[in-house]
Amino acid sequence: MQGFKNFLMRGNVVELAVAVVIGTAFTGIVAAFTEAIINPLLANAFQVDELEAFEVGGVKIGLVLAAVLNFLIIAAICYFVLILPMQKLTEAHDRLRGVTPEEPAETDVDVLRDIRDLLREQQADANPTAPPVTPAP
């Protein structure tokens, strides 16, 4: 029973539960925005009463189009209202604390280029009369 209690009290489980509740409430807002504003505009563009009613050869393409648009709207709102501001806030907080962003780790290609350049230098030092070798891009 203690293990189950520890599982429930971990931060990840509580945060996930809160995210699901907030996501559900947020979905209602986005659905209302889409139904009230976006769908009527698109329905006028396709000259149908409702976007979901748009058909091509008997295939209800409007249902798929509406679902894709809902997804894109939700993704855009999440990115521009939640993700981007949080990234900027984190960067500002890190700057205030004096934390600098980490430089990207050196890749295998970078290491191999360094080795190649060192070998060329050693070769040039060992044989100074040889014409210089131009590095490849």
Side-chain angles (χ1 to χ4, degrees):
M1 202 61 175
Q2 182 64 31
F4 182 67
K5 180 181 174 187
N6 290 342
F7 170 74
L8 289 178
M9 297 310 291
R10 279 195 334 210
N12 294 345
V13 174
V14 174
E15 290 172 6
L16 181 60
V18 169
V20 169
V21 170
I22 298 275
T24 302
F26 189 68
T27 300
I29 293 170
V30 173
F33 174 77
T34 304
E35 289 295 320
I37 297 171
I38 302 299
N39 285 352
L41 291 174
L42 292 173
N44 286 337
F46 290 112
Q47 298 176 354
V48 292
D49 291 335
E50 291 184 17
L51 182 61
E52 288 85 5
F54 182 64
E55 291 184 11
V56 174
V59 177
K60 294 186 176 185
I61 193 95
L63 289 172
V64 175
L65 186 59
V68 168
L69 286 172
N70 282 338
F71 170 77
L72 291 175
I73 291 167
I74 290 169
I77 290 173
C78 285
Y79 179 75
F80 290 110
V81 174
L82 300 173
I83 304 298
L84 193 60
M86 285 302 295
Q87 286 176 343
K88 298 297 181 186
L89 184 64
T90 301
E91 290 171 5
H93 185 260
D94 287 346
R95 277 194 307 272
L96 286 175
R97 290 184 12 213
V99 176
T100 58
E102 292 182 25
E103 293 183 23
E106 194 171 33
T107 65
D108 293 342
V109 174
D110 295 331
V111 172
L112 290 172
R113 283 186 184 139
D114 292 342
I115 293 169
R116 177 197 65 195
D117 295 342
L118 288 171
L119 289 173
R120 283 186 179 153
E121 287 176 18
Q122 288 175 353
Q123 183 183 19
D125 290 343
N127 191 2
T129 59
V133 179
T134 56

